[in-house]
Amino acid sequence: MKKVIQILNELVDKGIIKKYAIGGAVGVIFYTETFTTRDIDVFVAPQMTDSGIIHLGLIYEYLKKAGYSMKGQYFIIEGIPVDFVVVYNDLTLEALDNSIDKQYNKMRVKVFRPEYLLAIALQTGRVRDLRKIDLLMSETDLNGELLKDILKHHNLYKKWRKYVKG
């Protein structure tokens, strides 16, 4: 994972992307015990062409020149599948804008806050995402007020209350 983080920071340093944050299962692992996942989800702000089409070509060009190849939707960086995910709604955009710095092997890495990881998992609602919620609730010191604000702002509070009540 060290090389992935190095590459992500290079993409920012070279102006290829403005910002990124790790989300998904690997984002959760920054706050909880480890568990199995097959890829790293890297959320990025969309780059638009003049015609309004989302364009990630600069990322792909940089990684291909660096010797990395694609397998399906993933770039394989030092054996690790990396999925570049364009923020796809207001919640993921807000999560990206409010991502925080964490340390990994003495390197800075941007990661979604645990409250946003929980909200995104709740919004997605897949079984594997509900497991992330349980981990975050049991192993993380969540900011209750921030979580409540996020859930209310993104119309997830009723879903949350129903989930918590079981």
Side-chain angles (χ1 to χ4, degrees), residues 65-164:
K65 283 181 183 175
Y68 300 110
S69 61
M70 291 195 75
K71 184 174 182 180
Q73 73 189 49
Y74 305 105
F75 254 103
I76 308 301
I77 301 175
E78 303 298 318
I80 299 173
V82 178
D83 190 6
F84 287 90
V85 181
V86 175
V87 291
Y88 53 85
N89 62 18
D90 290 342
L91 177 56
T92 58
L93 177 60
E94 187 176 311
L96 179 63
D97 288 342
N98 290 286
S99 61
I100 59 175
D101 288 332
K102 297 294 250 175
Q103 290 290 314
Y104 182 85
N105 281 349
K106 299 181 181 178
M107 292 186 304
R108 178 189 53 82
V109 59
K110 291 296 234 180
V111 180
F112 284 169
R113 294 181 59 92
E115 297 82 7
Y116 284 100
L117 289 164
L118 188 150
I120 292 166
L122 182 66
Q123 186 178 64
T124 306
R126 300 171 299 188
V127 172
R128 65 180 176 223
D129 293 310
L130 300 180
R131 285 190 211 125
K132 294 174 197 171
I133 293 172
D134 293 338
L135 276 172
L136 288 165
M137 286 174 43
S138 65
E139 297 184 20
T140 305
D141 186 21
L142 295 166
N143 179 325
E145 286 302 311
L146 175 61
L147 178 61
K148 187 176 178 181
D149 289 346
I150 293 166
L151 295 171
K152 284 186 173 185
H153 179 75
H154 295 283
N155 299 314
L156 293 167
Y157 193 71
K158 286 182 184 177
K159 190 173 183 179
W160 170 248
R161 296 303 306 155
K162 185 176 178 181
Y163 181 80
V164 172

